[in-house]
Amino acid sequence: MMKAAVFLLFALLVPAYHTGAQCIIDSVVDLKVQAAISNIVSANLAKAKLLCQDVSARGDLVTCPAGYKPTGCACGMGCGSWDIRSDSICHCQCSGMDWTAARCCRVGLE
């Protein structure tokens, strides 16, 4: 009976010991991978620049160039009501608009 109890105890402790070691190894590998990814991301973020340009057009609509998004709009005739349509078009909401302008930006890597 005593031999069976010792064997069961040993059978339960050995896998638990190795599982704990495996978790430690996994944790170390995870930390190394996270450090490597962090270095790569930091290096690329340092190269990121916000590239902007102004565009304008006659009338109540102006479209940003491909790849750019409007970050703000301006309207002629003192109109302060505008909205962004289709994620790339500034629209002035006042009637009889003579001009519309947009500040268009994108993130670029240099």
Side-chain angles (χ1 to χ4, degrees), residues 4-26:
V6 170
F7 178 75
L8 285 175
L9 182 63
F10 185 71
L12 291 173
L13 290 178
V14 169
Y17 175 76
H18 287 296
T19 302
Q22 186 63 36
C23 289
I24 293 170
I25 292 170
D26 288 344

Side-chain angles (χ1 to χ4, degrees), residues 19-85:
T19 302
Q22 186 63 36
C23 289
I24 293 170
I25 292 170
D26 288 344
S27 296
V28 170
V29 170
D30 286 346
L31 288 173
K32 291 286 187 181
V33 168
Q34 288 174 358
I37 289 172
S38 178
N39 289 339
I40 292 169
V41 169
S42 295
N44 284 329
L45 283 178
K47 296 176 189 176
K49 304 287 182 204
L50 188 61
L51 307 171
C52 298
Q53 59 180 287
D54 296 321
V55 293
S56 61
R58 296 182 91 38
D60 62 351
L61 297 172
V62 66
T63 303
C64 288
Y68 286 78
K69 303 290 181 194
T71 58
C73 305
C75 305
M77 299 173 54
C79 177
S81 298
W82 53 268
D83 61 90
I84 296 174
R85 295 181 174 182

Side-chain angles (χ1 to χ4, degrees), residues 62-110:
V62 66
T63 303
C64 288
Y68 286 78
K69 303 290 181 194
T71 58
C73 305
C75 305
M77 299 173 54
C79 177
S81 298
W82 53 268
D83 61 90
I84 296 174
R85 295 181 174 182
S86 302
D87 211 27
S88 65
I89 300 170
C90 278
H91 168 248
C92 289
Q93 297 173 351
C94 300
S95 62
M97 196 54 43
D98 55 348
W99 62 268
T100 301
R103 180 74 168 164
C104 303
C105 299
R106 71 176 179 88
V107 175
L109 296 176
E110 293 184 0

